[in-house]
Amino acid sequence: MESRIRPRAANTDPPPSRIERLCIERGLKMTGQRRLIARVLSEAEDHPDVEDVYRRALALDSKVSIATVYRTVRLLEENGILERRDFGGGRARYDPADRGHHHHLIDVDSGKVIEFADEEFEALARAMARRLGFDLVGQRLELFGRKVEAEPTRSGGRSKARSS
Amino acid sequence: MESRIRPRAANTDPPPSRIERLCIERGLKMTGQRRLIARVLSEAEDHPDVEDVYRRALALDSKVSIATVYRTVRLLEENGILERRDFGGGRARYDPADRGHHHHLIDVDSGKVIEFADEEFEALARAMARRLGFDLVGQRLELFGRKVEAEPTRSGGRSKARSS
DNA sequence: CTAAATGCAAAGGCTTTGCAAGTTC
DNA sequence: GAACTTGCAAAGCCTTTGCATTTAG
């Protein structure tokens, strides 16, 4: 039955978030908590750790426990919706998987993380693995850098970057 | 039997290990435990975690506590003698820093780690950072691969690899 | 209604630390 | 002898889990 004929499911019924839709596609049972966490993650533009997700979820609606956040991010990871990252510091950070394949450049001064993709690197990675006798099934690349004084070479190039 | 007058220090007095020498250079106080741990690390050809180091040290001379191993690897790391790695799995692994700049390819089936270096990649990493407006100060590259059936392309190339 | 999700608190790994006793320089 | 190192056990993080209760489908 089409429930969208409802006169006003106003403030209690925000539209499904991007990640909520992915959950539904995969047939995951959607509870209030999961919807909430999905929303927090959908809106995140950074790489939150579990604490971050928990805090943001609480701020929206204080009906989650941290255990549920842990269980949910694990579930999402197992379903390929999130990717777990480890930038050091002991805690795992999460990154929506549908942002596409990308790597990270960490600004060592500010701690900011910049995402970028680079086709040339992808090709090289495959080649390096192949040279060692392997098929590449995954990779992890992190660059640590410091802002250069002069203007960067005009980024007309092959890399597409997005700061976060 | 005390110190016999012997031409050279025999079985009770092994020559200082590579890492022990580095410690001395840096003016670190050398205790029996540190010498032992230094030796274990000098002889390691892999990427041992603290447990590994502890076990190997115990096997040589059961006079270390795990707390000391933790304290020592941290000290060595702070002194640039070891590098801490994180290949996932929750525990830190250690890698002598003087092996030169290299990366890792993890065989996803066996868990074995292969070290390799690649000049082309080094150059590309610098270029990618530069393109984003940064000077490269560090990097981390890990490839995950699966052994290819056919023979690898003859490795006449630019990469030098060493299995561990 | 049934299988699955949640909360809570307890427990589990890895790592660090306070303190007394032992060593190095 | 002063300062540092070690051992031991306790404590700290982050994360997982057992169990009773609630909830989605």
Side-chain angles (χ1 to χ4, degrees):
Chain A
M1 51 178 177
E2 297 295 62
S3 51
R4 69 182 160 195
I5 313 171
R6 215 164 359 176
R8 53 178 145 284
N11 45 13
T12 47
D13 225 64
S17 64
R18 197 175 75 275
I19 287 181
E20 179 178 347
R21 280 193 298 271
L22 291 171
C23 291
I24 294 169
E25 268 176 36
R26 274 156 241 217
L28 301 178
K29 194 185 273 193
M30 290 314 291
T31 66
Q33 289 88 329
R34 283 195 186 161
R35 249 187 292 276
L36 182 57
I37 293 167
R39 187 174 146 206
V40 165
L41 288 166
S42 297
E43 290 172 358
E45 308 247 283
D46 51 354
H47 302 80
D49 59 28
V50 168
E51 272 289 316
D52 293 328
V53 176
Y54 178 53
R55 260 196 307 277
R56 294 175 199 176
L58 280 191
L60 291 179
D61 179 340
S62 44
K63 294 183 181 52
V64 216
S65 74
I66 190 134
T68 294
V69 178
Y70 272 106
R71 282 191 272 236
T72 303
V73 292
R74 183 144 61 110
L75 179 81
L76 297 180
E77 192 200 349
E78 287 163 0
N79 278 271
I81 295 174
L82 285 186
E83 276 175 20
R84 191 203 309 233
R85 304 281 180 185
D86 165 39
F87 297 153
R91 13 187 196 295
R93 312 181 125 249
Y94 290 88
D95 204 353
D98 62 357
R99 284 190 193 170
H101 207 26
H102 63 261
H103 310 289
H104 299 96
L105 186 151
I106 294 99
D107 181 328
V108 295
D109 294 316
S110 70
K112 276 183 72 169
V113 176
I114 292 166
E115 296 182 0
F116 68 94
D118 189 295
E119 289 173 19
E120 192 180 347
F121 167 74
E122 305 296 328
L124 178 56
R126 267 192 301 278
M128 290 187 288
R130 178 52 65 103
R131 223 174 271 149
L132 299 170
F134 287 78
D135 277 332
L136 191 67
V137 304
Q139 50 177 275
R140 179 156 86 166
L141 170 64
E142 275 145 41
L143 303 180
F144 299 84
R146 176 163 286 135
K147 269 218 172 67
V148 83
E149 306 301 297
E151 81 233 38
T153 36
R154 48 255 156 261
S155 62
R158 290 141 289 189
S159 319
K160 289 170 302 186
R162 155 177 54 189
S163 160
S164 78
Chain B
M1 321 315 189
E2 269 61 288
S3 35
R4 316 167 306 195
I5 307 165
R6 65 215 153 172
R8 41 170 69 80
N11 45 11
T12 47
D13 225 61
S17 63
R18 198 172 44 65
I19 287 181
E20 178 177 349
R21 281 194 296 273
L22 290 171
C23 290
I24 294 170
E25 269 177 34
R26 273 155 242 220
L28 300 179
K29 196 183 274 193
M30 288 315 291
T31 66
Q33 289 87 329
R34 281 195 188 162
R35 249 186 292 275
L36 182 57
I37 293 167
R39 189 175 143 206
V40 166
L41 288 167
S42 296
E43 289 172 0
E45 308 248 283
D46 52 352
H47 303 81
D49 60 26
V50 168
E51 273 289 316
D52 293 328
V53 176
Y54 178 53
R55 260 197 306 278
R56 294 174 198 177
L58 279 191
L60 292 180
D61 179 340
S62 46
K63 293 182 182 53
V64 216
S65 74
I66 191 136
T68 296
V69 178
Y70 272 106
R71 281 190 274 235
T72 303
V73 293
R74 182 143 62 109
L75 180 81
L76 296 181
E77 192 198 349
E78 287 164 0
N79 279 271
I81 295 174
L82 286 186
E83 277 175 20
R84 191 202 311 232
R85 304 281 180 185
D86 164 39
F87 296 153
R91 14 186 197 295
R93 312 182 123 247
Y94 291 87
D95 205 353
D98 61 0
R99 284 192 194 168
H101 208 26
H102 63 260
H103 310 291
H104 299 95
L105 185 151
I106 294 98
D107 181 330
V108 294
D109 294 316
S110 71
K112 277 183 71 170
V113 176
I114 294 167
E115 296 183 358
F116 68 95
D118 190 295
E119 289 172 20
E120 192 180 348
F121 168 74
E122 304 297 327
L124 178 57
R126 268 192 301 279
M128 288 188 289
R130 179 53 65 103
R131 224 174 270 149
L132 298 169
F134 287 78
D135 277 332
L136 191 66
V137 305
Q139 50 177 276
R140 179 156 84 166
L141 170 65
E142 276 145 41
L143 303 181
F144 298 84
R146 174 164 286 136
K147 268 216 172 69
V148 83
E149 305 302 298
E151 82 233 36
T153 37
R154 43 255 154 260
S155 61
R158 291 140 287 190
S159 318
K160 288 169 304 188
R162 156 178 52 190
S163 160
S164 77

